[in-house]
Amino acid sequence: MNARSLRALEYSQILHRLAEHTSFSLGKELALRLRPTTDEEEVKRRQQETTEARSLLEMEPHFTAGGAKDLRPHLKKAAIESPLTPAELLDIGDTIASGTAVRRRLYSLRRLFPTLAEIAQGIEECSALWGEIRRSISDRGEVVDGASPALARIRRELHQVHERLLSKMERIASSPENAPFLQEPIVTQRSGRYVIPLKADFKGRIPGVVHDQSASGATLFVEPLATLELNNQWRELQLAEEKETHRILKGLTARVAEEIPAIEGTLKALAWLDLALAKGRYSASLSCVEPKFTPFRSPKGELLHPGSTLRLIQARHPLLPPEEVVPIDIRISDDFFILVITGPNTGGKTVSLKTVGLTALMAQSGLHIPAQEAELSIFEGVYADIGDEQSIEQSLSTFSSHLTSIVTILARAHERCLVLLDELGAGTDPVEGSALARAILDHLRHRKITSLVATHYSELKSYAHITPGVENASVEFDLETLAPTYVMSIGLPGQSNALAIATRLGLDEGVVREARRLISWEDLEVERYLDDIRRAREEALAAAQAAKAAREEAEGKERELAEELKALEGSRRQVINEARKQARRELREAREEIGHLVAEAKKKKTVEAEAKLTELEERLPPLPPVKKGPPLGELKVGETVWVEGLDREGEVVGLEAAQVEVQVGPFRVKADIEDLAASVKDPEGREGPPREGAPGAISLPLSPPVPDFLDLRGEKAEEVLWRLDKYLDDAFLSGSLSVRIIHGKGKGTLRRLVRQAVESHPLVASYRSGEADEGGDGVTVVRLVEG
């Protein structure tokens, strides 16, 4: 990518904002060095990293490569055998531990985040080195006693000698005999040895070695001869401790040197992971989306076209405050690949160009794009001439500066590049500038280079209107507020608002009228036509938006109706089931009461009981035949029983304390023991339901065959759900495993209604669109759950 173009688009500002989201220095360096790539596979891999990182952070917001340190200076020391300090060794141990934790966590999530897990595989655990460092260095960055047996022994002896030395020094300092000779009864240190403060006038009264004296000379700091040997021992042990500590650190440094390649690999992997996580955070902070990449296509027909794709919906400039920036929609199509943008100053033309340029650069760098939707090609070069780079040193005017840049761009760009030119032809005579701008545009068109150009020249509007492959676009202006709206309109050139603005600002009407008279009739008519077209377009857009809102409202009501129908169907089933249960309870109670009355009548033979019985029998409706088989014996798994609630025969497959699990056809049910009866045999000895005519017997009607498809075409929405639900129930009870629901293609309303219903249906295991030989999108194939 051209360095000047990157500067013009302020790409470095994107990298600095990305770097703010990194957690350690190596990741920050990678962020600042990030550059767009033209390799399609690399672009897609980078985008996948960003997408996975954002998803990971949504799942685990505090996931970082934190704890890792920049170990490069430490490794350089180790390479030249310069002993590392305990703090430096602790940095190495912490980085190894952090890398190990990240590697293991991402490995456990490898199915969700395969790209990040692959990067993490570059982390070497170096568990042996980490264990040695942790055994030798404390969290405070000190070599611990257990680092070696010799160090433990030395420190033990050092502690003992130190205690004896201090005890003896304190006895000398606190002795009443020595009190007159001491400035203070204290023990202090000079040159690493314990001493007492002796008055200079009493020099020699306490035999010892003078190590220092006060500034006034009144005090001598003396090491008593009585403690000289202990002081010597203490000092010797200190030197021994330093020597052993040095030996331990040197040994650990040698171990680090052996693992330099592995540690460097760990640092590299952690840096790339840190960069990926930074990209994910940056994407979330701007509410970005992953762009879709479309390869360059072969042009259709005779139209010159590079086959590029550029479609941005509600795209925002990434460097402007999100709450202030106005999103734009911008695109190229099969009909044009050069866009000429016109409009007022400060209206957003330059911002639009930078938005497109930064979008392309960010996408090819692996960054998500601040937009609702984004689809573009991978450009082999993004060239931009934006802004005023007038150079006093080189004696270049604004025009010369722009033209120098354009010369470079035209020499390097080709049909797989994107070119962005701001104020093309400006800074010189308008006639010559306009002619030069048209010639440059025509040159770009014949070379099939995707281009976006901002200009003020009205001649370029006409050029874009009549030239194949070129299209007008404009940024709109609000004449009421005299401010740009920053809204991009493709297909219409920008209007000249000079006279309207002058009128709004209060310029004398006569002056405005004279200016209007000096403008050619053709130009005034063009402006009037443009205004009419813009108004018609706004009305059409308003109508389209109203239609869209109405359609969305209708679809919402349709969904609500479907939910209500579903709820009503569920309520209907529940009411029917409750009614059946209530009827059975009432019939059972009636039977029991009749039985009691019959027994009472037989026993007491009273007229009153018989009259009551007669009255009750007249009051009750005729009882349906009681579906009751012979009484059960001791149940066993595999035994055939009659399930009264279902009026079906089944096989016992499980026994519990109060319930029995029975296989009835394609499904299993649990029933209370009192709801079961023994199966009876027909005259030929075969098992089956109770025979008709036998005591308590019923006849079981055979289920009618269920077809393997249901045709709902032409049905109303309120009838579809009821028919579909009943059909699925029947198909399930008949043992079907797969059925087809025919709904047709049409506008897709019936298809959506059917698929919403089967998605939540308890009897549906899965569903799919039909194959070509099954009816395609006009059919939904449903697989039912197995009983």
Side-chain angles (χ1 to χ4, degrees), residues 310-539:
L310 178 64
R311 187 177 69 89
L312 303 176
I313 306 299
Q314 295 292 285
R316 292 166 278 116
H317 192 294
L319 298 178
L320 297 178
E323 65 277 3
E324 297 179 10
V325 66
V326 178
I328 62 169
D329 294 348
I330 197 163
R331 60 181 171 80
I332 60 174
S333 72
D334 291 340
D335 298 325
F336 63 90
F337 61 94
I338 295 178
L339 206 57
V340 177
I341 306 172
T342 51
N345 285 326
T346 70
K349 299 189 300 297
T350 302
V351 169
S352 298
L353 293 180
K354 287 188 173 182
T355 300
V356 173
L358 283 174
T359 293
L361 295 176
M362 290 174 69
Q364 291 179 219
S365 298
L367 300 174
H368 285 176
I369 292 174
Q372 282 186 2
E373 294 180 35
E375 181 181 3
L376 61 166
S377 298
I378 297 176
F379 296 101
E380 294 182 8
V382 176
Y383 296 96
D385 176 57
I386 297 174
D388 184 3
E389 293 195 8
Q390 181 173 345
S391 172
I392 296 175
E393 290 183 3
Q394 299 179 22
S395 300
L396 293 177
S397 66
T398 299
F399 174 74
S400 299
S401 175
H402 280 298
L403 196 56
T404 300
S405 177
I406 291 172
V407 168
T408 303
I409 290 172
L410 294 181
R412 296 180 179 178
H414 52 81
E415 64 183 45
R416 289 181 177 260
C417 293
L418 173 66
V419 171
L420 309 168
L421 302 177
D422 191 22
E423 299 298 348
L424 181 61
T428 188
D429 177 76
V431 175
E432 293 184 354
S434 174
L436 185 61
R438 290 200 304 273
I440 291 173
L441 282 178
D442 219 39
H443 181 75
L444 292 169
R445 186 176 73 90
H446 281 100
R447 290 180 58 189
K448 299 191 291 185
I449 299 175
T450 305
S451 306
L452 278 74
V453 176
T455 183
H456 280 292
Y457 291 130
S458 59
E459 292 86 353
L460 295 189
K461 301 177 188 178
S462 302
Y463 172 84
H465 181 69
I466 64 175
T467 306
V470 187
E471 182 61 276
N472 274 303
S474 61
V475 285
E476 298 178 1
F477 189 84
D478 189 340
L479 289 175
E480 296 298 322
T481 62
L482 297 181
T485 65
Y486 304 105
V487 175
M488 173 79 71
S489 294
I490 294 178
L492 288 177
Q495 284 182 274
S496 174
N497 296 298
L499 297 182
I501 293 172
T503 302
R504 289 282 297 166
L505 292 176
L507 186 65
D508 185 87
E509 290 185 6
V511 175
V512 174
R513 194 163 44 250
E514 177 63 15
R516 195 180 301 277
R517 188 184 67 79
L518 295 174
I519 298 175
S520 68
W521 179 83
E522 292 85 354
D523 289 341
L524 288 174
E525 283 299 306
V526 168
E527 290 297 323
R528 191 175 294 112
Y529 287 143
L530 284 176
D531 187 55
D532 291 343
I533 292 171
R534 191 176 302 279
R535 292 179 185 277
R537 179 171 179 163
E538 289 174 354
E539 291 174 0

Side-chain angles (χ1 to χ4, degrees), residues 159-362:
H159 177 71
Q160 293 170 354
V161 170
H162 183 256
E163 290 294 322
R164 286 160 52 197
L165 175 59
L166 275 182
S167 177
K168 195 162 188 176
M169 290 292 294
E170 288 171 356
R171 285 200 304 272
I172 293 172
S174 60
S175 170
E177 296 177 359
N178 297 329
F181 314 131
L182 301 176
Q183 291 285 10
E184 291 181 84
I186 61 172
V187 178
T188 185
Q189 278 189 325
R190 288 294 186 275
S191 303
R193 299 179 74 88
Y194 283 107
V195 295
I196 55 177
L198 182 67
K199 295 176 181 178
D201 294 342
F202 296 102
K203 181 180 180 181
R205 299 301 293 268
I206 299 177
V209 178
V210 177
H211 287 280
D212 198 4
Q213 67 177 10
S214 64
S216 63
T219 304
L220 301 176
F221 295 95
V222 177
E223 178 184 355
L225 292 177
T227 62
L228 188 62
E229 183 59 29
L230 283 174
N231 249 325
N232 288 340
Q233 290 181 29
W234 181 60
R235 185 59 186 155
E236 289 171 0
L237 287 170
Q238 283 181 311
L239 294 173
E241 180 191 27
E242 291 176 6
K243 183 178 180 181
E244 180 61 16
T245 300
H246 181 80
R247 187 193 68 78
I248 292 169
L249 294 177
K250 192 169 183 180
L252 290 173
T253 300
R255 287 285 293 112
V256 170
E258 294 173 3
E259 299 288 354
I260 284 177
I263 297 173
E264 287 177 338
T266 294
L267 289 175
K268 182 178 178 181
L270 285 173
W272 283 112
L273 284 173
D274 189 40
L275 174 61
L277 293 169
K279 292 191 295 181
R281 294 188 194 97
Y282 190 41
S283 171
S285 70
L286 292 179
S287 300
C288 295
V289 296
E290 180 181 357
K292 177 184 177 182
F293 294 102
T294 302
F296 280 83
R297 309 178 307 278
S298 299
K300 297 179 180 179
E302 298 180 357
L303 175 66
L304 293 172
H305 199 295
S308 56
T309 299
L310 178 64
R311 187 177 69 89
L312 303 176
I313 306 299
Q314 295 292 285
R316 292 166 278 116
H317 192 294
L319 298 178
L320 297 178
E323 65 277 3
E324 297 179 10
V325 66
V326 178
I328 62 169
D329 294 348
I330 197 163
R331 60 181 171 80
I332 60 174
S333 72
D334 291 340
D335 298 325
F336 63 90
F337 61 94
I338 295 178
L339 206 57
V340 177
I341 306 172
T342 51
N345 285 326
T346 70
K349 299 189 300 297
T350 302
V351 169
S352 298
L353 293 180
K354 287 188 173 182
T355 300
V356 173
L358 283 174
T359 293
L361 295 176
M362 290 174 69

Side-chain angles (χ1 to χ4, degrees), residues 587-753:
L587 289 173
R588 190 181 300 113
E589 291 170 0
R591 291 192 195 104
E592 291 175 355
E593 187 174 354
I594 290 173
H596 291 153
L597 290 174
V598 170
E600 183 181 350
K602 288 181 179 179
K603 184 176 180 181
K604 297 182 178 180
K605 298 180 180 180
T606 60
V607 176
E608 181 182 352
E610 291 177 355
K612 190 174 182 180
L613 174 62
T614 302
E615 180 184 353
L616 179 61
E617 288 178 339
E618 291 174 353
R619 184 160 40 91
L620 286 173
L623 292 177
V626 180
K627 301 174 182 179
K628 183 78 174 178
L632 283 171
E634 183 179 352
L635 285 175
K636 296 179 182 178
V637 174
E639 185 175 350
T640 302
V641 296
W642 184 256
V643 185
E644 293 185 357
L646 298 177
D647 296 340
R648 295 250 178 157
E649 192 177 55
E651 181 182 343
V652 177
V653 293
L655 298 172
E656 298 180 5
Q659 289 189 316
V660 180
E661 189 172 5
V662 184
Q663 182 78 35
V664 181
F667 58 93
R668 293 187 179 189
V669 297
K670 286 188 177 181
D672 295 333
I673 293 178
E674 55 267 23
D675 291 334
L676 303 177
S679 179
V680 298
K681 296 186 177 181
D682 62 15
E684 298 180 6
R686 293 173 298 185
E687 293 185 347
R691 298 185 306 277
E692 187 172 1
I698 63 168
S699 61
L700 182 64
L702 294 175
S703 299
V706 178
D708 65 351
F709 68 91
L710 173 64
D711 192 346
L712 296 174
R713 289 175 294 183
E715 296 284 355
K716 295 182 179 179
E718 58 268 21
E719 297 175 355
V720 164
L721 294 176
W722 181 84
R723 285 197 61 196
L724 176 62
D725 191 53
K726 184 177 184 303
Y727 173 73
L728 293 176
D729 285 351
D730 294 343
F732 175 78
L733 291 173
S734 70
S736 299
L737 293 179
S738 179
V739 295
R740 291 179 298 135
I741 310 299
I742 303 173
H743 42 64
K745 296 180 181 178
K747 296 182 180 179
T749 303
L750 189 57
R751 178 176 67 247
R752 286 195 300 273
L753 188 62

